[in-house]
Each structure stands twice: as structure tokens, then as C-alpha cells.
Amino acid sequence: MRSLPLLLLLLLPACSDRKDWEVEIIVQVFKPKLVDLPKVKVEATQGAKTGFVELTNPFQSCTANQVRLIPTPGGPDLTIVASAGALSATAKVKPSQATPVKLVLAAGPELVPAACAPEVRTDGGVKRRTGEACTLDLECAGGVCLRTIADAYPLVPDFKGGYCSRTCDFALDGGGGCAADEQCTRFQNAKGDTIATRCLLLCSAGDAGISPRC
């Protein structure tokens, strides 16, 4: 295992008395049950710094498949890559990422470790539209799976079950990349600075019982 001053990658112990847990990111890796992968490399990059760790027999349990990543708070987004042979999975997350990052090395009908595996997709590989549930960015046509908007003010509640979206340009006419039934929404921090712009589905009060995406 290698660690650098900016970025630390540590195996997550069952119990820990560290005081920095509030800024840690948990990374979990998964594979199809019938694929044999005895080792997995997890690498994370934040700015110019990179750290990595190799996991041996990581798919035996929901403890063995975890990596504990402690980024520099307030730094740039992180790129996290899990790889084993020709298989790999990538995610780009913010340093304030609160929910576990689940990296699936290959699609399959049964992922392991099963107890903590993300839901197996049954849509034939079709990318999901804005408003549909998700666990990974790669499941969404817009490339963004929303869970919450970090540092937004007033506080934005968690998007329970995930919410497929995309980045948009609030300043452009028509929402700058959003579809006709979507709206480019600007999220601000307490100072009034724009911290994120995302497409959200336009829904009226009565749509919740009609459209499954609302």
C-alpha cells in the first residue's frame, strides 16, 4: 500500500477510533459471482496526487471489499478507479461524498459480496432518464447520479434511492442541455455562490401518482 500527503488510502477496519471519519469516503468494489478475481487495485487521484491500494480476496465479505479514502477537504474532485486484469470501473466524486462509492467491475446477474451489492440492472443496459433511480453515475444517460447537493443552502434533502440527472448551463436559454420536460436548477451556498447546476424533472403536484419519475 502507498500513501501520499494529500491522499490516504487505507483498508477500512471493522472498528476505528480515528477522528477523521467525517471526511472519509468509503469505496466498495463488486464483481459477478462467476468471475474469478483474486486481486483488485483501487487507485484515487485528487489534483496532482495519487494513492492506491491492492486488495487480496476482496469479495469474501462487505468488509474485505472496502477501501477507506481520506481526501483533502475542499480540494478538487477525485477520480477513483478499480481495476483487475482487463476489467475496470471509474467514478468521479467530490471530497464531501457521503454515501459509499460502489464500483462494479463487470455487469452480471449476481454481484458479490451480495449483502452490500448495488441493485442489478434489469433494463438491458439502457441508460436511465432524468428522475429515475440510480446508484452509479454510469447508469444515467446524463452521467450524474444525484444523492445530495453538498454545501447547498438552504439545505437540499438527500435524493432517496438516487436521482439520474445531468450538468447544465443555467445561463443559457432553454436550460443549457436539459430536455423539454426538465429544468436547469441552480444550487447555491450560503454566500450565494453557484456550486452546482443540474437538470431536474418538471413535475406538478399530481404527477407523483402518474409518472414513476416524479
Side-chain angles (χ1 to χ4, degrees):
M1 181 179 69
R2 182 183 70 178
S3 62
L4 294 173
L6 178 69
L7 192 67
L8 299 180
L9 284 176
L10 304 173
L11 292 180
L12 180 69
C15 297
S16 174
D17 59 358
R18 294 182 64 95
K19 303 303 182 183
D20 50 14
W21 61 270
E22 290 183 308
V23 297
E24 75 180 10
I25 298 173
I26 302 301
V27 180
Q28 297 175 302
V29 291
F30 303 88
K31 73 172 183 69
K33 185 176 182 179
L34 299 180
V35 176
D36 184 23
L37 296 174
K39 290 185 179 181
V40 173
K41 179 182 178 181
V42 179
E43 183 176 88
T45 301
Q46 186 181 32
K49 301 296 184 178
T50 297
F52 73 90
V53 65
E54 288 189 344
L55 304 179
T56 301
N57 296 322
F59 306 106
Q60 295 179 338
S61 70
C62 290
T63 299
N65 81 326
Q66 292 186 355
V67 169
R68 182 170 181 240
L69 184 142
I70 305 176
T72 297
D77 291 355
L78 293 90
T79 299
I80 306 172
V81 180
S83 59
L87 302 179
S88 66
T90 303
K92 188 171 184 179
V93 302
K94 295 187 176 299
S96 56
Q97 173 82 17
T99 55
V101 178
K102 296 178 181 285
L103 296 178
V104 180
L105 291 170
E110 186 175 357
L111 299 177
V112 293
C116 53
E119 181 181 357
V120 176
R121 292 174 59 183
T122 58
D123 57 8
V126 176
K127 296 290 186 178
R128 299 177 186 182
R129 299 172 296 169
T130 296
E132 293 186 327
C134 56
T135 56
L136 302 170
D137 289 343
L138 58 83
E139 295 174 327
C140 303
V144 175
C145 180
L146 286 177
R147 293 138 183 114
T148 188
I149 303 292
D151 302 323
Y153 182 86
L155 295 178
V156 178
D158 290 341
F159 292 89
K160 300 298 184 182
Y163 185 103
C164 277
S165 182
R166 70 177 72 243
T167 300
C168 55
D169 190 336
F170 187 84
L172 295 180
D173 293 337
C178 297
D181 60 347
E182 300 168 6
Q183 176 176 298
C184 186
T185 302
R186 178 173 59 183
F187 296 92
Q188 298 173 303
N189 60 19
K191 297 179 180 179
D193 300 323
T194 298
I195 57 175
T197 52
R198 300 288 185 267
C199 294
L200 300 182
L201 193 66
L202 289 171
C203 295
S204 63
D207 287 339
I210 301 174
S211 172
R213 292 196 289 158
C214 289

